[in-house]
């Protein structure tokens, strides 16, 4: 690598690192905490969800349980989470995403065992801090900018790290011997970054769909290429034929019985019909085997299958997006959780090593007057297009540099 190119990469890596470092530490720390969400909430969840089957008794019908839930709750219920076993309460759900809330009913005693409101949970606040710094849409854009710069830092860090391997492959596993404190901690930073790079890029890929600018752009591409969820996945465009009903509608218990007959893995949800033209929806959420997820819709009068879609009917970009987002949250299995936890902890360590290296160098400044090769300019342009907020920040930095250069020439 030419010296000028090396200095340029080092400069951008240095400047990007100074900006991103405090945010990366915050995001890594909150990410580690949020990964432990299920363990943190386990005691409260078990208290609400676990029930004791009545000896010799029978469970109430789902219709009866729905009546109990509606009588005890003012929220409009839109779906039902089927119990995974005879010792589990039935969940009745209102709202979606961050506004989702669930009230649980004991099918044997007809008592409400409790409710879970996502927006009132401690971990919801951690998630908000992690995703938007508790600053709303403005905070989301800051997080997106940091994530975009982190992608550039990983790529530039790999390019800066590789030339040292010419001397010895052992430098893949240890810092260079006999070096100063500054170089030692730079090497520790580089080694940790190199070995974490691929997984970090996957974690970042899973976080970007939640952002405002990049996420909106990705959604637009999905729409233009028809590679998202098919409209019928959520029941859009589907309707029941009331003319064939004879005044009778399919009960919730009958819809649930059909859902159980499908033997779907994971959490199975039955969505209630919306109005006289609505349909029953059956969905399952199963992150470890996403290919086994399915969406089935039933006519609320005849019980006929209106739509039956599998994971292969979902567009390729959406399948990739959902996999990456599940990977980001450690939902693909124990191996995924442990890998993301370990790499996020190492991200904290390499950030600390970078801070120590910078401090021990007494705030050493990166060189500023460097000629920009055409190839690297092209790379910046490509990255600026793929990561729009990074592109905007680069333009601002270059404009600031241009103003500073003019002032220096004017003084000369």
């Amino acid at each position: 690598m030419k010296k000028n190119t090396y200095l340029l990469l080092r400069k951008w890596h240095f400047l990007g690192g100074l900006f991103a470092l405090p945010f990366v530490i915050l995001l890594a720390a909150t990410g580690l905490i949020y990964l432990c969400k299920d363990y943190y909430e386990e005691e409260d969840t078990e208290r609400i969800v676990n029930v004791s089957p009545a000896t010799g008794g029978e469970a109430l019908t789902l219709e009866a349980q729905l009546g109990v839930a509606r009588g005890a709750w003012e929220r409009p219920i839109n779906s039902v989470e089927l119990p995974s076993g005879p010792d589990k309460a039935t969940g009745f759900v209102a709202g979606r995403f961050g506004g989702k809330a669930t009230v649980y009913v004991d099918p044997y005693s007809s008592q409400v065992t409790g409710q879970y409101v996502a927006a009132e949970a401690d971990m919801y606040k951690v998630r908000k801090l992690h995703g938007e710094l508790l600053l709303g849409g403005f905070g989301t854009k800051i997080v997106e900018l940091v994530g975009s710069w982190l992608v550039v830092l990983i790529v530039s860090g790999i390019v800066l790290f590789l030339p040292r391997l010419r001397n010895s492959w052992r430098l893949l596993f240890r810092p260079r011997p006999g070096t100063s404190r500054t170089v030692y901690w730079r090497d520790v930073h580089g080694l940790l970054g190199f070995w974490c790079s691929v997984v970090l890029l996957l974690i970042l890929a899973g976080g970007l769909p939640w952002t405002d600018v990049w996420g909106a752009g990705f959604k637009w591409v999905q729409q233009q290429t028809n590679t998202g969820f098919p409209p019928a996945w959520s029941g859009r465009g589907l309707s029941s034929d009331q003319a064939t009903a004879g005044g009778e509608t399919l009960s919730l218990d009958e819809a649930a019985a059909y859902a159980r007959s499908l033997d779907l893995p994971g959490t199975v949800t039955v969505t209630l019909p919306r109005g006289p033209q609505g349909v029953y929806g059956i969905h399952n959420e199963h992150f470890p085997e996403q290919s086994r997820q399915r969406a089935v819709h039933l006519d609320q009068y005849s019980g006929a299958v209106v739509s039956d879609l599998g994971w292969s009917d979902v567009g390729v970009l959406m399948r990739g997006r959902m996999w990456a987002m599940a990977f980001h949250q450690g939902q693909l299995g124990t191996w995924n959780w442990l890998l993301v936890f370990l790499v996020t902890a190492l991200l904290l360590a390499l950030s600390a090593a970078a801070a120590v290296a910078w401090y021990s160098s007494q705030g050493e400044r990166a060189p500023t007057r460097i000629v920009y090769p055409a190839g690297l300019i092209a790379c910046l342009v490509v990255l600026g297009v793929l990561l729009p907020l990074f592109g905007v920040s680069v333009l601002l930095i270059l404009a600031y540099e241009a103003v500073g250069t003019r002032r220096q020439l004017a003084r000369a």
Side-chain angles (χ1 to χ4, degrees):
M1 183 190 303
K2 294 182 180 179
K3 182 178 180 180
N4 182 73
T5 303
Y6 179 87
L7 290 175
L8 179 62
L9 282 174
R10 184 180 164 209
K11 169 190 172 179
W12 283 97
H13 192 83
F14 179 82
L15 292 175
L18 281 180
F19 158 71
L21 182 61
F23 295 103
V24 169
I25 291 174
L26 174 63
L27 294 175
T30 52
L32 281 175
I33 295 171
Y34 194 75
L35 275 173
C36 300
K37 173 181 178 293
D38 291 343
Y39 299 100
Y40 177 81
E41 297 177 343
E42 184 175 15
E43 183 176 345
D44 289 337
T45 302
E46 289 184 349
R47 178 178 55 82
I48 294 173
V49 174
N50 291 344
V51 298
S52 299
T55 304
E58 293 185 2
L60 293 175
T61 64
L62 287 174
E63 289 282 0
Q65 294 177 58
L66 176 60
V68 171
R70 283 174 170 163
W73 217 26
E74 71 283 357
R75 296 175 184 250
I77 294 169
N78 53 43
S79 59
V80 182
E81 290 183 1
L82 300 183
S84 58
D87 59 344
K88 303 296 180 184
T90 307
F92 294 88
V93 182
R96 300 176 65 200
F97 307 120
K100 180 179 177 180
T102 308
V103 63
Y104 291 91
V105 175
D106 186 330
Y108 304 100
S109 68
S110 74
Q111 298 296 311
V112 172
T113 60
Q115 58 181 282
Y116 179 84
V117 182
E120 296 177 0
D122 292 338
M123 281 296 176
Y124 182 79
K125 299 178 179 64
V126 174
R127 179 179 178 179
K128 284 295 199 181
L129 180 59
H130 181 77
E132 58 185 47
L133 307 178
L134 302 181
L135 297 175
F138 177 71
T140 302
K141 292 178 178 62
I142 294 177
V143 172
E144 179 178 353
L145 179 60
V146 172
S148 301
W149 267 99
L150 193 50
V151 172
V152 177
L153 289 172
I154 293 170
V155 174
S156 60
I158 292 173
V159 176
L160 291 171
F161 178 82
L162 290 177
R164 75 180 62 177
L165 301 181
R166 294 174 182 173
N167 298 325
S168 173
W169 61 268
R170 292 182 176 85
L171 296 180
L172 272 173
F173 305 99
R174 69 180 186 187
R176 285 169 287 187
T179 55
S180 67
R181 181 186 178 191
T182 299
V183 174
Y184 173 82
W185 284 107
R186 280 180 186 167
D187 281 4
V188 171
H189 169 76
L191 281 167
L192 291 175
F194 176 81
W195 286 110
C196 293
S197 58
V198 174
V199 178
L200 278 176
L201 287 173
L202 285 175
I203 292 174
L204 288 169
L208 284 173
W210 275 295
T211 61
D212 288 349
V213 179
W214 194 94
F218 189 82
K219 184 177 181 180
W220 180 84
V221 172
Q222 283 183 172
Q223 291 171 342
Q224 299 306 307
T225 57
N226 196 30
T227 51
F229 279 117
W233 187 271
S234 61
R236 242 186 318 157
L238 303 178
S239 61
S240 295
D241 186 2
Q242 192 171 6
T244 63
E248 295 294 328
T249 60
L250 196 70
S251 71
L252 175 57
D253 291 88
E254 290 172 312
Y258 185 83
R260 292 190 182 98
S261 73
L262 297 176
D263 195 25
L264 301 174
T267 302
V268 180
T269 300
V270 176
T271 304
L272 304 177
R274 297 181 182 179
Q277 299 299 318
V279 295
Y280 277 107
I282 299 169
H283 300 82
N284 70 310
E285 192 175 71
H286 189 56
F287 295 110
E289 297 177 277
Q290 292 188 348
S291 62
R292 297 185 64 189
Q293 294 184 133
R294 195 167 164 187
V296 181
H297 292 88
L298 306 177
D299 186 302
Q300 67 166 301
Y301 301 106
S302 66
V305 176
V306 179
S307 174
D308 187 350
L309 298 171
W311 199 239
S312 60
D313 297 304
V314 178
V316 63
L317 288 185
M318 180 58 78
R319 293 203 304 269
R321 171 184 171 180
M322 296 303 292
W323 185 93
M325 292 171 73
F327 182 89
H328 181 91
Q329 299 182 93
Q331 295 174 318
L332 299 179
T334 304
W335 67 270
N336 178 207
W337 189 93
L338 290 172
L339 182 61
V340 172
F341 189 93
L342 173 63
V343 171
T344 306
L346 290 177
L347 177 59
L348 278 174
L350 71 88
S351 299
V356 173
W358 175 79
Y359 181 79
S360 63
S361 68
Q362 298 182 351
E364 174 186 323
R365 293 179 60 84
T368 55
R369 301 191 66 180
I370 305 174
V371 178
Y372 287 78
L376 287 179
I377 291 177
C379 289
L380 286 176
V381 170
V382 171
L383 287 170
V385 172
L386 295 176
L387 304 167
L389 291 189
F390 166 75
V392 171
S393 67
V394 168
L395 291 176
L396 292 176
I397 292 171
L398 292 177
Y400 176 80
E401 283 188 341
V403 171
T405 301
R406 287 181 181 180
R407 287 179 178 175
Q408 289 179 356
L409 293 175
R411 289 172 185 170

